[in-house]
Amino acid sequence: MDNKEKDDKYFGRGNQALDLEVTRAKGSYIYAANGKKYIDFLGGAGVGNLGWGVEEIEEAIRKKDRPAYVYPNFYYRGWSELAEVLAKLAPGKLQKSYRMTGGSEAVDAALEMATMYTGREKILSIEGSYHGNTMGALSIGATKKKKGFPKLLEGFEKLELPLNSEKLERVKKLLSTKEFAAVIMEPVIINLGVVVPEKEFMAGLNKICKDTGTLLIMDEAITGFGRTGKMFASEHFDIEPDILGMAKAITAGHAGMGAVITTSEIDRQLSGKIGLYSSYGWHPVAVDASLAALHYLEKNQKRLFENIEQLAETFKNGISEVNFRKEPEVRIKGAAIGVEVYDEDYASNIKQKALEKGLLINTEGSSLLFLPNFQMPQKTALEGLNLLKSCT
């Protein structure tokens, strides 16, 4: 029985596997069991912001002088060190971090915080969005459910795209009821193909939330740690999140981890009352990986962010030379690139052809999605874009 047969017999999947068995990953490349090399525009769906196999992070994981495990109710130096780094990097007045294992858990924790702090039950989110696979995260995501999916949680309202100044009247009408605990969204909506809200909308949303006592939650599981050309995408807008969720690039893909960070004011009311126990949140190995990844990001920020700007320009120019069936809408924010091709089957067909030619990309509905790592050489980006030209 080969590995694919074993996978089919024993391994559960929510999505169909791509025809690629990975044996190694280094830099901007993924290597298959058959020896084929792939240019990675997928980036682990936002996990691999620094590229694969960063030696400083690998060395931190290999070190031996740490406990195998720390019970959540003990003190551990690594937790306070990482929380201090996150407070330094996070926007606004965000200061107190809670340990999570990933993005879905962070979203559910943020919702729990908001409802406990405000005493309200309703949540406003963006229609069509994706925030994870727990019942809470699915409930604030797309209204359209999978066939046979159980009833989701109630008390959620959805705001339709586009997110412009005209939508503020509806936001004000809803939030003025003071029934809503929070608004939750990605500040740049990667999971809808890199949708960038208007600055007027975000500033207005921030003001309405503050005026009505509604908390503003930013889900930065993908957009955090440099993806959009800022340390956090919230920094592109005139807003101050009350709660922010992190995951994915918090360890640059070298270990599983998530976090939720809030203000000291909110934490003072919730501390000791909220049940955010996590057996494996911030495991010592993951903490060392995260500290190494974030220190690397800080130390090399100028170089990395300059390369992000160059990558954005390279992708903009390269995509303009691709002969799509019809003129696409190209949405670029830093190293997050969405290309709307207006047909889901066509997008999926391009993704499959790219895989066959040695290029890894993703799709979100009828959009192509590229999330290259921040250290990708311009030459590698151009090679990938040239492969893309032959897939349309």
Side-chain angles (χ1 to χ4, degrees):
M1 185 182 295
D2 66 20
N3 190 53
K4 291 182 180 179
E5 290 173 323
K6 285 184 180 180
D7 187 284
D8 184 58
K9 184 172 182 179
Y10 297 111
F11 190 69
R13 291 182 178 275
N15 299 299
Q16 185 177 356
L18 299 176
D19 188 18
L20 168 57
E21 182 179 345
V22 177
T23 57
R24 188 164 67 94
K26 187 66 179 176
S28 300
Y29 296 95
I30 302 290
Y31 297 84
N34 62 6
K36 187 172 181 178
K37 182 172 75 171
Y38 295 81
I39 295 174
D40 187 14
F41 282 5
L42 176 63
V47 168
N49 62 332
L50 301 178
W52 306 120
V54 179
E55 183 55 33
E56 288 89 335
I57 308 174
E58 296 284 355
E59 181 62 32
I61 292 171
R62 285 193 292 266
K63 84 174 195 179
K64 300 291 192 296
D65 57 339
R66 62 168 166 254
Y69 176 79
V70 179
Y71 175 63
N73 291 340
F74 292 159
Y75 284 104
Y76 180 54
R77 181 179 295 275
W79 292 342
S80 56
E81 288 180 355
L82 179 54
E84 183 180 19
V85 171
L86 294 178
K88 175 184 174 183
L89 296 178
K93 300 175 183 177
L94 299 171
Q95 182 175 318
K96 297 294 285 287
S97 289
Y98 283 79
R99 305 168 307 115
M100 302 288 141
T101 57
S104 296
E105 189 180 7
V107 165
D108 271 21
L111 299 179
E112 186 177 344
M113 283 180 167
T115 52
M116 283 189 69
Y117 180 77
T118 62
R120 306 172 185 175
E121 296 182 355
K122 291 186 176 182
I123 302 290
L124 179 62
S125 60
I126 309 303
E127 183 60 85
S129 60
Y130 172 80
H131 294 277
N133 292 316
T134 58
M135 289 294 282
L138 287 169
S139 297
I140 59 173
T143 300
K144 183 180 179 181
K145 295 181 290 186
K146 296 177 182 178
K147 185 177 180 181
F149 201 86
K151 184 178 181 181
L152 298 177
L153 304 179
E154 297 180 349
F156 299 92
E157 292 279 350
K158 309 292 171 63
L159 196 65
E160 298 274 358
L161 296 181
L163 301 181
N164 53 29
S165 57
E166 295 177 8
K167 285 293 191 310
L168 292 175
E169 193 60 39
R170 171 163 165 75
V171 172
K172 187 173 183 179
K173 181 178 180 181
L174 289 169
L175 301 191
S176 292
T177 64
K178 296 192 176 181
E179 297 176 336
F180 287 81
V183 177
I184 184 169
M185 63 182 291
E186 291 181 284
V188 173
I189 309 175
I190 305 296
N191 287 302
L192 287 176
V194 192
V195 170
V196 183
E198 288 186 1
K199 287 190 175 182
E200 292 80 4
F201 170 82
M202 295 298 279
L205 172 66
N206 184 67
K207 184 177 187 305
I208 295 169
C209 283
K210 298 297 185 282
D211 289 346
T212 59
T214 308
L215 299 189
L216 186 57
I217 303 172
M218 290 290 118
D219 179 1
E220 298 230 31
I222 299 181
T223 57
F225 306 108
R227 175 55 58 185
T228 65
K230 299 282 189 182
M231 190 60 72
F232 289 92
S234 299
E235 296 171 47
H236 289 290
F237 307 102
D238 184 21
I239 61 173
E240 285 195 8
D242 298 292
I243 303 172
L244 187 147
M246 311 171 186
K248 294 186 182 287
I250 194 170
T251 66
H254 290 70
M257 181 185 277
V260 63
I261 187 169
T262 189
T263 64
S264 57
E265 177 188 348
I266 292 173
D267 183 72
R268 273 195 298 272
Q269 184 167 319
L270 300 180
S271 182
K273 302 175 185 176
I274 192 164
L276 296 180
Y277 183 98
S278 179
S279 294
Y280 280 96
W282 292 22
H283 186 279
V285 174
V287 169
D288 284 344
S290 182
L291 285 169
L294 299 182
H295 287 154
Y296 185 96
L297 183 59
E298 284 188 285
K299 182 177 68 176
N300 297 283
Q301 182 172 336
K302 185 176 186 296
R303 173 179 64 83
L304 293 171
F305 281 30
E306 285 176 354
N307 198 54
I308 288 172
E309 289 184 16
Q310 293 173 10
L311 283 171
E313 193 64 23
T314 298
F315 272 87
K316 179 182 177 182
N317 293 334
I319 292 167
S320 71
E321 297 173 358
V322 179
N323 186 26
F324 293 104
R325 288 179 183 172
K326 63 184 293 187
E327 187 71 22
E329 180 185 353
V330 182
R331 301 182 289 262
I332 299 178
K333 202 69 172 174
I337 301 103
V339 183
E340 177 58 59
V341 297
Y342 307 104
D343 185 310
E344 288 193 23
D345 291 337
Y346 180 48
S348 295
N349 188 46
I350 293 173
K351 177 181 176 180
Q352 179 58 36
K353 285 183 178 179
L355 176 68
E356 294 166 2
K357 293 178 182 292
L359 175 65
L360 302 178
I361 67 174
N362 209 351
T363 57
E364 291 292 344
S366 57
S367 293
L368 308 178
L369 179 61
F370 311 134
L371 299 171
N373 76 76
F374 309 162
Q375 305 199 86
M376 178 174 284
Q378 302 300 315
K379 180 182 177 182
T380 305
L382 288 170
E383 288 175 1
L385 288 165
N386 282 332
L387 287 176
L388 181 66
K389 292 176 184 178
S390 64
C391 299
T392 58

